[in-house]
Amino acid sequence: MAATTKGIDCAVPLTAEKAKKMSEAGMRFVCRYLVPASMAWKRLTRPEAEAITAAGMKIVSVFQRGTKDVAGGAVNGTRDGKAAYQEAKLIGQPEGTAIYFAVDYDAQPKDFAAIEAYLRAAARELPGYFVGVYGSYAVVEEMARRGACSHFWQTYAWSKGRLSHAANLRQYKNGQELAGHSVDFNDGLGNEGWWDTNPRPMDRFVDIEAAKKVIHHLGTLWLASSDKQVQEAAHFAANALRDVAGIPRP
């Protein structure tokens, strides 16, 4: 297995002092909640994001109201996507990074269609950002298979010891204490979609002309395939690339 990056997630905001202590303890990223002001007790703010960055750590954004909002399908996805976009812009989360949406229960196959609809609806409200899902092995595997989103944060809960090859993050131990703060421990597995508040050297990560060529090839794939899932994945990837490169969607 490739080397992993150690990090934590937590509900209660971090002070600058605690962020520094966590960094000194070897943590390299913090997963925090991108939620509306009505949930201030766990809401990530710009000052906290700056404190995490100053401590030398990255930030992973996750949106969650309740445990089963994703079961509400596209209606809830649209609502939460809009709210996440507003918060991301408010705190200065740069485009080209990810926002994860939580499936914080033991979702069953009967729930998967609603979860997919939720994620796709949220993505439509988040131009410029990648959409990810937090959930069990089954959720990660199924949403990856369906091409419902691009980033995956797997929890050990409900996963029966399995780890998806699609996972970008892995939550492996809950209810711990670090620097006097209640945390869950996580591993970064690559392409996590995290960010920080440091100035970026350029506005876009993707060359527009190169992006157009890739989008053209994805269109060719869409036309050539008779597999609906392949077509959906190609369509999703093309729109995600358009968003990152600043190319308007058709």
Side-chain angles (χ1 to χ4, degrees), residues 96-229:
T97 60
I99 299 173
Y100 292 82
F101 291 83
V103 182
D104 201 8
Y105 69 104
D106 189 11
Q108 299 300 305
K110 65 181 177 60
D111 302 318
F112 291 161
I115 294 170
E116 178 185 6
Y118 175 100
L119 293 170
R120 292 190 184 279
R124 287 192 289 270
E125 305 301 328
L126 287 160
Y129 294 97
F130 292 107
V131 167
V133 66
Y134 163 96
S136 67
Y137 171 86
V139 167
V140 167
E141 283 283 291
E142 186 63 18
M143 293 306 111
R145 186 185 71 81
R146 295 181 180 215
C149 58
S150 61
H151 285 66
F152 305 93
W153 177 8
Q154 186 186 321
T155 176
Y156 72 100
W158 316 297
S159 293
K160 301 176 182 178
R162 295 170 294 179
L163 177 63
S164 172
H165 291 296
N168 304 105
L169 292 156
R170 175 182 61 176
Q171 182 188 68
Y172 63 88
K173 188 176 289 186
N174 290 359
Q176 304 301 299
E177 185 174 305
L178 183 64
H181 206 80
S182 179
V183 304
D184 304 326
F185 287 133
N186 293 263
D187 283 332
L189 305 175
N191 193 29
E192 295 86 354
W194 55 36
W195 59 281
D196 58 39
T197 61
N198 289 324
R200 295 180 10 142
M202 55 185 175
D203 293 330
R204 301 285 177 188
F205 286 117
V206 179
D207 178 84
I208 292 178
E209 292 306 314
K212 288 179 178 178
K213 291 178 182 178
V214 175
I215 291 167
H216 174 75
H217 288 304
L218 288 168
T220 301
L221 173 62
W222 187 93
L223 290 170
S225 178
S226 59
D227 187 320
K228 183 178 179 181
Q229 291 178 346

